Amino acid sequence: MSSLSAVNADLHCHSVVSDGTLTPEQLAQRAHANGVKLWSLTDHDELGGQERAKEAAAALNMNYLAGVEISVTWLGQTIHIVGLGIDPQDSGILDGLRRTREGRSGRAKQMSEQLLKAGIPGAYEGALHYAGNHDLISRTHFARFLVERGVCKDTEQVFKNYLVEDKPGHVPHCWANLDEAIGWIKSAGGVAVIAHPGRYKLNLMQRDQLFEYFKDHGGLGLEVITGSHSPDQYQEYGKIAQQYGFLASRGSDFHDPSESHIDLGTLPLLPEHLTPVWSMFH
Ligand code: AMP
Ligand code: MN
Ligand code: MN
Ligand code: MN
């Protein structure tokens, strides 16, 4: 019997329901074509694509876990928590996510005002044009608009020069609390996973504090193999998963065929010695 780690699982990606550019059905087809055997759509702060994703996966005989990526503010930093295997009808998580989304429109208007001062008019309307879901206007939609306007050559350049701390178009925002987000996921029957841990600007002490806090509040998983990590970071976060007893997850964080460097289902498999998060659902 081959090990459970060897499953081509992709448990992190985005559709037009948040800041991806493909529909849930197109993502399911792409994942399946790339050999994914267990898939999850994890739109930001939103469960509106779950029914379609589940049905599309079923039609392709691909295993599916309902998912979400929740925006959290912890020690003044934005941290992303993926919830896997949740009940997408659960009223607690639906209500929590609705409240988490609420501030997005106001924030987008403030971002637009700042960009106007930097000489870039019409950014709110421009970004909204890219948002498949007007409740979920995100920095990614602004980034696409800035590329369209020729302000930057690609979205990667946008996130170096705009929309981030100390650059035009950055508006600080307060998202959900970490303990609340873990609570919504757990109450909805799911497993909470820290997304792309290598991306946060935390010193080693803060990072350990995050893992301890997360674990103490019922968090179980850590993304080890993610499109945001280098091969060195696969090793580093694999060790941390073992050290803390976290279940390991794997996900591309795919958003768009031309923007995303890593396609669905194409990352290295989880190392054999780690316990995959999907062992919880086996
Ligand atoms: P928001 O939730 O509106 O703050 O937008 C966050 C999204 O912006 C993330 O989910 C990514 O899709 C995108 N993003 C943030 N930083 C970067 C980056 N450095 N390069 C590309 N996309 C990024
Ligand atoms: Mn995103
Ligand atoms: Mn993220
Ligand atoms: Mn993501």
Side-chain angles (χ1 to χ4, degrees):
M1 200 188 88
S2 66
S3 98
L4 206 50
S5 313
V7 172
N8 187 347
D10 194 323
L11 304 180
H12 189 152
C13 71
H14 300 273
S15 77
V16 288
V17 172
S18 63
D19 60 349
T21 59
L22 302 186
T23 62
E25 291 80 7
Q26 288 169 323
L27 287 168
Q29 273 160 19
R30 195 174 178 102
H32 184 256
N34 288 352
V36 171
K37 302 291 181 219
L38 173 64
W39 177 53
S40 182
L41 170 66
T42 55
D43 277 311
H44 297 284
D45 307 325
E46 176 59 272
L47 297 174
Q50 292 306 312
E51 198 56 37
R52 290 169 63 185
K54 182 179 155 192
E55 280 178 19
L60 294 161
N61 258 320
M62 185 166 60
N63 292 306
Y64 186 74
L65 288 174
V68 66
E69 182 176 19
I70 306 180
S71 313
V72 159
T73 301
W74 186 78
L75 293 186
Q77 270 233 38
T78 300
I79 304 287
H80 285 172
I81 302 297
V82 164
L84 297 171
I86 51 173
D87 168 9
Q89 314 287 350
D90 179 85
S91 60
I93 194 164
L94 284 167
D95 189 54
L97 294 177
R98 183 186 50 71
R99 283 184 282 119
T100 305
R101 287 192 301 269
E102 260 171 12
R104 281 189 179 267
S105 284
R107 169 194 187 230
K109 284 174 190 154
Q110 284 179 274
M111 286 165 65
S112 186
E113 281 166 28
Q114 270 201 34
L115 289 168
L116 177 63
K117 284 181 197 150
I120 304 160
Y124 178 73
E125 293 73 17
L128 207 56
H129 172 78
Y130 284 98
N133 170 4
H134 286 192
D135 284 347
L136 211 112
I137 184 161
S138 96
R139 285 187 294 157
T140 313
H141 303 119
F142 279 84
R144 291 183 186 135
F145 166 76
L146 293 178
V147 173
E148 173 198 302
R149 279 299 144 96
V151 174
C152 293
K153 76 169 184 353
D154 56 30
T155 54
E156 208 169 306
Q157 285 302 310
V158 175
F159 283 104
K160 287 207 173 93
N161 301 297
Y162 294 88
L163 317 182
V164 292
E165 217 171 322
D166 301 324
K167 304 285 178 186
H170 181 253
V171 174
H173 194 73
C174 197
W175 303 105
N177 290 325
L178 181 51
D179 57 335
E180 273 184 326
I182 299 167
W184 301 334
I185 292 166
K186 285 181 60 171
S187 305
V191 173
V193 176
I194 299 179
H196 41 66
R199 256 171 66 173
Y200 309 124
K201 290 193 190 79
L202 300 169
N203 63 36
L204 289 182
M205 222 174 76
Q206 292 169 322
R207 199 180 68 172
D208 285 340
Q209 209 182 329
L210 169 66
F211 298 151
E212 293 285 351
Y213 184 97
F214 179 72
K215 194 175 165 135
D216 285 350
H217 289 79
L220 294 180
L222 189 72
E223 280 187 350
V224 172
I225 306 291
T226 140
S228 300
H229 284 175
S230 65
D232 281 353
Q233 288 176 315
Y234 301 156
Q235 300 271 341
E236 182 183 357
Y237 289 96
K239 277 193 197 129
I240 290 171
Q242 283 190 299
Q243 192 185 320
Y244 281 86
F246 287 139
L247 301 165
S249 193
R250 173 178 186 259
S252 57
D253 207 357
F254 180 82
H255 284 73
D256 170 81
S258 56
E259 281 170 22
S260 299
H261 300 301
I262 307 289
D263 206 342
L264 287 155
T266 64
L267 283 167
L269 296 173
L270 268 192
E272 286 244 1
H273 61 276
L274 301 178
T275 309
V277 67
W278 49 94
S279 63
M280 293 290 286
F281 304 99
H282 194 51

